[in-house]
Amino acid sequence: MKFKRIVIEKIKSAKKGFALTGAGISAPSGIPTFRGENGFWKDKDPRELASLEGFEKNPERVWDWYNERRSIIRKTKPNPAHYALTEMEDSFEQFAIITQNIDNLHEEAGSRNVIELHGNIFRNKCSECGKLFNDIEQLEIPRCDECGGLIRPDVVWFGEALPKEVLQRAIQWSELSDICIVIGTSAMVQPASSLPLFARENGAFVLEINKNKTVISSYANETILGQAETILPELSKIGI
Ligand code: OAD
């Protein structure tokens, strides 16, 4: 694959960079995206399955859906796009992966500096007292051993704020990076979708990799249209 000279120069010269990833990077591993043809939200209502209101109304349905997603994700493995980002982590002086994904695949690929904006599906917490629990493989919705509250996945639902410390770290990377690589996100969900804009406003080169154009494409310095799992392994060789 031939990259534009500006892309090669920016990758070679950048000292600090971050990748913002979305469901598109895990699609080649076999995890459906949210929007589009076979997306999760095509025939499901996010308010019912991924909000506190939905959980309070019908906790069993929400727990079942997360059980189903956990079982899909458990069977998957990182793909060449995840591994390419792990290599990039080594070739930059400082590199972070800021992900909207909750599937743990960046960590499984060996990436060390992963900021999980929307939590992790293999972690759970009490919906009442917040006590954290690890992976729970249980068909019925469990209860907290401290307060008896219902246990829910430790992920960010619609209408919920991102953990403060996580958001602060992500904003700091956007403000101080030389390059921001946006991969496989439709950029429809805030505040994640603003991070590349902060980066651009703070002087970073914004490079987007996506199968399709998105809102990011309107201000990205470069958009490479195509599959992340073929483009990223090529891109990661530039920095070495
Ligand atoms: P989306 O499903 O909205 O977008 C997936 C993006 O990946 C689209 O822009 C596709 O074009 C692109 N894509 C798909 N396959 C690709 C491939 N092989 N290579 C490159 N690009 C590819 O997913 P997100 O943007 O991640 O939030 O969604 C953001 C948030 O919305 C999620 O974290 C989730 C969801 O509701 C919460 O649950 C809080």
Side-chain angles (χ1 to χ4, degrees):
M1 177 170 294
K2 209 163 157 24
F3 296 110
K4 285 193 185 163
R5 213 168 67 198
I6 182 81
V7 171
I8 297 174
E9 274 169 15
K10 291 291 177 183
I11 290 201
K12 278 189 185 283
S13 64
K15 299 213 175 338
K16 181 165 179 152
F18 74 99
L20 174 68
T21 66
I25 197 166
S26 294
S29 293
I31 303 172
T33 58
F34 292 93
R35 297 166 185 84
E37 260 306 277
N38 301 309
F40 277 125
W41 299 149
K42 183 130 201 284
D43 55 2
K44 292 180 191 73
D45 182 353
R47 288 268 152 207
E48 284 185 1
L49 295 168
S51 78
L52 191 58
E53 291 156 79
F55 183 72
E56 281 169 354
K57 213 164 93 190
N58 194 340
E60 287 79 16
R61 178 173 53 193
V62 174
W63 186 255
D64 283 352
W65 187 59
Y66 277 90
N67 269 343
E68 197 182 307
R69 287 181 66 194
R70 273 189 282 258
S71 92
I72 296 175
I73 293 171
R74 264 195 203 97
K75 292 185 196 112
T76 64
K77 289 194 169 51
N79 67 63
H82 294 106
Y83 289 114
L85 287 185
T86 304
E87 275 177 34
M88 276 192 188
E89 198 175 22
D90 294 332
S91 63
F92 281 72
E93 271 176 30
Q94 296 181 71
F95 195 76
I97 296 170
I98 303 180
T99 189
Q100 298 166 85
N101 300 342
I102 58 175
D103 55 29
N104 211 46
L105 290 180
H106 287 302
E107 289 90 340
E108 274 185 47
S111 292
R112 295 176 305 274
N113 195 14
V114 184
I115 300 174
E116 293 176 318
L117 291 177
H118 295 165
N120 188 307
I121 198 166
F122 297 114
R123 240 183 7 241
N124 295 279
K125 66 180 179 190
C126 173
S127 57
E128 301 288 333
C129 71
K131 182 178 173 185
L132 288 173
F133 295 86
N134 282 334
D135 195 10
I136 302 176
E137 273 192 71
Q138 189 172 313
L139 286 182
E140 283 185 16
I141 179 159
R143 284 193 177 269
C144 176
D145 57 3
E146 295 267 325
C147 74
L150 290 173
I151 291 178
R152 53 164 281 184
D154 188 14
V155 299
V156 175
W157 280 335
F158 287 98
E160 292 183 327
L162 268 57
K164 209 168 143 201
E165 182 268 340
V166 170
L167 183 59
Q168 270 169 357
R169 279 173 67 208
I171 291 174
Q172 233 172 34
W173 277 90
S174 327
E175 287 172 346
L176 298 173
S177 287
D178 309 313
I179 190 163
C180 157
I181 309 174
V182 190
I183 306 149
T185 177
S186 63
M188 303 291 278
V189 174
Q190 291 285 8
S193 58
S194 290
L195 297 172
L197 190 59
F198 291 155
R200 180 87 162 92
E201 284 168 353
N202 284 281
F205 183 81
V206 175
L207 171 64
E208 181 186 36
I209 297 169
N210 199 304
K211 278 200 323 195
N212 303 301
K213 285 200 167 183
T214 71
V215 285
I216 309 277
S217 321
S218 62
Y219 65 82
N221 297 82
E222 289 294 334
T223 293
I224 305 178
L225 292 178
Q227 309 282 129
E229 65 277 26
T230 51
I231 297 166
L232 274 172
E234 295 288 318
L235 202 70
S236 67
K237 287 184 204 145
I238 294 174
I240 297 168

